Amino acid sequence: MVDRLANSEANTRRISIVENCFGAAGQPLTIPGRVLIGEGVLTKLCRKKPKARQFFLFNDILVYGNIVIQKKKYNKQHIIPLENVTIDSIQDEGDLRNGWLIKTPTKSFAVYAATATEKSEWMNHINKCVSDLLSKSGKTPSNEHAAVWVPDSEATVCMRCQKAKFTPVNRRHHCRKCGFVVCGPCSEKRFLLPSQSSKPVRICDFCYDLLSTGEMTACQSSRSDSYSQSPKSSLNDVSDDEDDEDSSD
């Protein structure tokens, strides 16, 4: 069905509409063979609080952005190649329900659908697209992924030293290797993680020691794989802070 739609006028028109919604700041999305599979609003668990984001699933990429005007205008476009994506279901807990992890070597995060049916449809379609891409290319599924950042609200003290309390002065930082919320003194070092940045990035002392000695597997946080076992921030979080879509600490 995807192959049949690839060169159809209806598919071309739909992709053009998505392009226009992102405006001049967005990257062109129309290429030969690309098909828009589906779209919808998902709640993305960001550093400060969960936020609604518009997602578009194509047969080769996943695109999402901030909602400026529903169905008409989006900004901060993000494009994720699907062949690098793996997804894992998250158990329901509290206000955060119908969720799953989207994991890539560069960035990993949790999203939540409005219903269990919608979650199932999204996950099935993503898995099918990834499977088809890997089958055509002969590549193997990605076994490397960036850590999912622990939301700020889940840590009142440093998750490494367990002593430093966070205040407006003693601010939170995130280790790019394990995703933990850590204090400044516990994350003064930098390390080159090529899949995430061309420059050395902030990591905690624990991960730095393991990376420096070559024990990289030991440094892998269990955060992504046991995400559903940790406390969750509330969907009613009243923080007005900006999204963490950049490289902020």
Side-chain angles (χ1 to χ4, degrees):
M1 179 178 178
V2 170
D3 292 336
R4 189 176 76 246
L5 291 172
N7 299 312
S8 72
E9 183 178 338
N11 177 65
T12 301
R13 185 168 58 252
R14 291 176 68 199
I15 295 178
S16 177
I17 291 173
V18 176
E19 281 186 345
N20 292 336
C21 286
F22 278 102
Q27 296 184 38
L29 298 172
T30 303
I31 65 170
R34 177 168 289 165
V35 176
L36 178 58
I37 306 296
E39 62 184 87
V41 176
L42 299 173
T43 298
K44 178 177 177 289
L45 191 60
C46 301
R47 173 181 178 177
K48 298 297 183 182
K49 65 175 181 178
K51 297 181 180 180
R53 295 286 179 258
Q54 180 73 29
F55 280 78
F56 300 92
L57 176 63
F58 297 84
N59 59 329
D60 62 334
I61 59 174
L62 181 66
V63 178
Y64 71 92
N66 295 3
I67 301 170
V68 180
I69 303 175
Q70 184 66 45
K71 298 291 186 181
K72 292 184 178 181
K73 186 176 181 181
Y74 311 110
N75 63 13
K76 294 188 177 180
Q77 182 192 67
H78 294 264
I79 300 177
I80 302 174
L82 282 178
E83 66 178 12
N84 296 327
V85 168
T86 56
I87 58 176
D88 288 325
S89 181
I90 302 174
Q91 293 180 2
D92 292 344
E93 184 173 339
D95 292 328
L96 296 175
R97 308 178 68 82
N98 311 313
W100 67 98
L101 297 178
I102 296 175
K103 303 189 294 185
T104 80
T106 304
K107 184 180 181 69
S108 301
F109 53 90
V111 292
Y112 296 84
T115 66
T117 299
E118 187 179 342
K119 169 186 174 178
S120 177
E121 290 176 348
W122 271 101
M123 292 188 69
N124 288 339
H125 284 308
I126 292 174
N127 276 327
K128 180 65 165 57
C129 290
V130 172
S131 177
D132 288 347
L133 281 173
L134 295 177
S135 177
K136 290 179 180 179
S137 67
K139 296 180 180 179
T140 56
S142 176
N143 59 6
E144 178 186 4
H145 56 81
V148 178
W149 282 20
V150 177
D152 286 359
S153 58
E154 292 188 21
T156 56
V157 299
C158 175
M159 298 178 71
R160 285 305 182 195
C161 69
Q162 299 291 322
K163 296 177 181 178
K165 293 184 178 180
F166 296 121
T167 67
V169 176
N170 186 31
R171 56 190 292 261
R172 294 169 172 82
H173 301 278
H174 276 83
C175 172
R176 301 312 196 269
K177 186 61 181 175
C178 66
F180 279 14
V181 183
V182 290
C183 64
C186 284
S187 59
E188 293 179 338
K189 297 182 175 64
R190 299 288 193 276
F191 201 91
L192 182 62
L193 302 177
S195 62
Q196 296 189 40
S197 175
S198 60
K199 299 178 181 180
V201 293
R202 179 187 293 271
I203 62 174
C204 68
D205 291 348
F206 177 79
C207 288
Y208 182 85
D209 290 342
L210 291 175
L211 287 167
S212 299
T213 57
E215 300 179 39
M216 295 185 68
T217 54
C219 182
Q220 292 293 340
S221 167
S222 61
R223 172 69 182 181
S224 297
D225 300 320
S226 60
Y227 190 84
S228 60
Q229 299 176 14
S230 62
K232 299 296 187 295
S233 60
S234 171
L235 282 171
N236 295 320
D237 191 323
V238 296
S239 171
D240 290 324
D241 292 301
E242 289 297 316
D243 200 352
D244 60 299
E245 302 297 359
D246 52 23
S247 58
S248 61
D249 292 332

